[in-house]
């Protein structure tokens, strides 16, 4: 068979077994380093189980999402790991109900299923607490769309940290809506040009958002952290290479992806139906403090004056 170049008919094998050797991963994009890391981890898990990962990209288009889900179901995929769009169409939800799957990162209310992700509230709460502890009272926030659970939860964490410190979150400069670097660059420019006192610190709520906002600060010649303290999101290697490094929120991305895929394959292998109460696994973020955050300049001046008087 090897000499003849025989290749097994996977479609016939899928018909005989009832499933193929395919596992689907549906994500909005792969430009985000988070999703590329997820894809590598799930691919490794599939390889260990003799399976093959099929990557599908939706651009958050519900119709394209349905197309990918339908094709995976047609191919009798073992299961699907899915980062859902904000508003999946009814047919997508129906197909997922009869297909082993698990949600990753985003928690879509329409898709009532098992979920693996990050404690997004805690992530931004930690970052904002850090800035407040340094003495920052006017902090800018740049985050993603509130239509998705991570965007809404991260903004909630930002607001909770303000409430804990007795600060008015409503007075903060908040920019939300996009998840790419172009949106973040423009949002950061609006923050720098806003009326009233300029914020002394910025916290970002997305990996590509952090890149875009930081690029804008550098293009404007803003001294970091002298004029503006800055907290990134996720821990791209580039964040460690910049000067004294960027303070950021570290996420256990690979661990989440491996746990998610192992759970899916275990459930699919045992042919277990989804439980009445979906399983939820929330992983903790970690604040990584580097050189991009410091007390605001006016606080340092006051501290120096007190030291002189003493």
């Amino acid at each position: 068979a090897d000499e003849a170049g025989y290749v097994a008919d996977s479609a016939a094998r899928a018909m005989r077994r009832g499933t193929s050797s395919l596992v689907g991963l549906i994500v909005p994009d792969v430009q985000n380093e988070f999703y590329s890391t997820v894809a590598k981890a799930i691919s490794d898990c599939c390889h260990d189980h003799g399976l093959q990962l099929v990557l599908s990209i939706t651009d958050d288009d519900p119709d394209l999402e349905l197309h990918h889900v339908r094709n995976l179901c047609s191919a009798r995929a073992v299961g699907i790991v899915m980062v859902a769009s904000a508003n999946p169409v009814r047919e997508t939800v129906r197909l997922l109900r009869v297909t082993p799957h698990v949600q990753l990162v985003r928690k879509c209310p329409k898709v009532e299923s098992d979920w693996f992700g990050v404690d997004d509230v805690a992530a931004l709460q930690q970052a904002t607490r850090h800035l407040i502890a340094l003495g920052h009272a006017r902090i800018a926030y740049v985050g993603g769309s509130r239509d998705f659970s991570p965007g809404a939860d991260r903004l909630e964490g930002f607001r909770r940290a303000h409430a804990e410190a007795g600060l008015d979150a409503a007075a903060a400069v908040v920019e939300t809506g996009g998840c790419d670097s172009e949106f973040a660059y423009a949002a950061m420019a609006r923050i720098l040009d806003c009326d009233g006192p300029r914020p002394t610190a910025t916290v970002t709520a997305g990996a590509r958002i952090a890149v875009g906002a930081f690029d804008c600060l550098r293009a404007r010649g803003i001294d970091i952290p002298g004029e503006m303290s800055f907290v990134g999101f996720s821990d791209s290697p580039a964040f460690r290479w910049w000067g004294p490094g960027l303070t950021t929120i570290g996420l256990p991305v690979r661990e989440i992806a491996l746990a998610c895929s192992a759970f899916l394959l275990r459930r699919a292998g045992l042919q277990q139906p989804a439980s009445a109460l979906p399983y939820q696994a929330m992983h903790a973020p970690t604040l990584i403090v580097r050189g991009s955050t410091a007390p605001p300049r006016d606080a340092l001046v006051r501290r120096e004056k007190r030291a002189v008087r003493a």
Side-chain angles (χ1 to χ4, degrees), residues 211 213-222 224 242:
V211 171
F214 186 71
D215 282 348
C216 179
L217 291 174
R218 290 196 301 176
R220 291 287 192 97
I222 302 297
I224 302 172
W242 169 81

Side-chain angles (χ1 to χ4, degrees), residues 62-132:
D63 292 328
L64 188 55
E65 180 178 65
L66 171 60
H67 171 77
H68 292 313
V69 170
R70 185 179 281 148
N71 284 347
L72 287 166
C73 292
S74 176
R76 303 187 185 222
V78 173
I80 300 172
V81 178
M82 183 174 187
V83 182
S85 64
N87 193 27
V89 300
R90 184 179 301 175
E91 178 66 7
T92 298
V93 176
R94 187 192 69 78
L95 288 171
L96 290 173
R97 283 178 183 153
V98 295
T99 305
H101 72 281
V102 61
Q103 292 191 80
L104 179 67
V105 183
R106 296 175 181 174
K107 196 183 299 180
C108 179
K110 281 190 173 183
V111 184
E112 299 176 353
S113 58
D114 306 307
W115 171 84
F116 285 73
V118 179
D119 188 343
D120 287 302
V121 173
L124 267 293
Q125 210 167 356
Q126 286 182 39
T128 311
R129 280 175 180 163
H130 169 66
L131 293 171
I132 292 172

Side-chain angles (χ1 to χ4, degrees), residues 126-186:
Q126 286 182 39
T128 311
R129 280 175 180 163
H130 169 66
L131 293 171
I132 292 172
L134 289 172
H136 296 278
R138 184 164 169 78
I139 304 169
Y141 172 92
V142 186
S145 171
R146 305 180 208 185
D147 292 337
F148 300 108
S149 62
D153 289 345
R154 291 168 193 174
L155 181 56
E156 176 63 21
F158 176 76
R159 288 172 171 164
R160 283 190 190 181
H162 278 75
E164 288 174 352
L167 297 175
D168 183 9
V173 183
V174 173
E175 288 278 351
T176 62
C179 60
D180 55 29
S181 56
E182 291 78 12
F183 158 78
Y185 190 104

Side-chain angles (χ1 to χ4, degrees), residues 17 20-26 37-56 72 77-82 100 102 254 256-266 268:
R17 293 180 177 177
S20 67
S21 61
L22 306 178
V23 173
L25 171 61
I26 300 177
T37 303
V38 162
K40 177 64 169 66
I42 297 179
S43 177
D44 291 344
C45 183
C46 289
H47 177 74
D48 292 343
H49 289 80
L51 302 171
Q52 181 177 345
L53 180 67
V54 176
L55 176 63
S56 302
L72 287 166
V78 173
I80 300 172
V81 178
M82 183 174 187
V102 61
R254 183 173 175 82
I256 295 171
L258 289 174
C260 173
S261 51
F263 176 89
L264 175 66
L265 296 182
R266 188 165 58 249

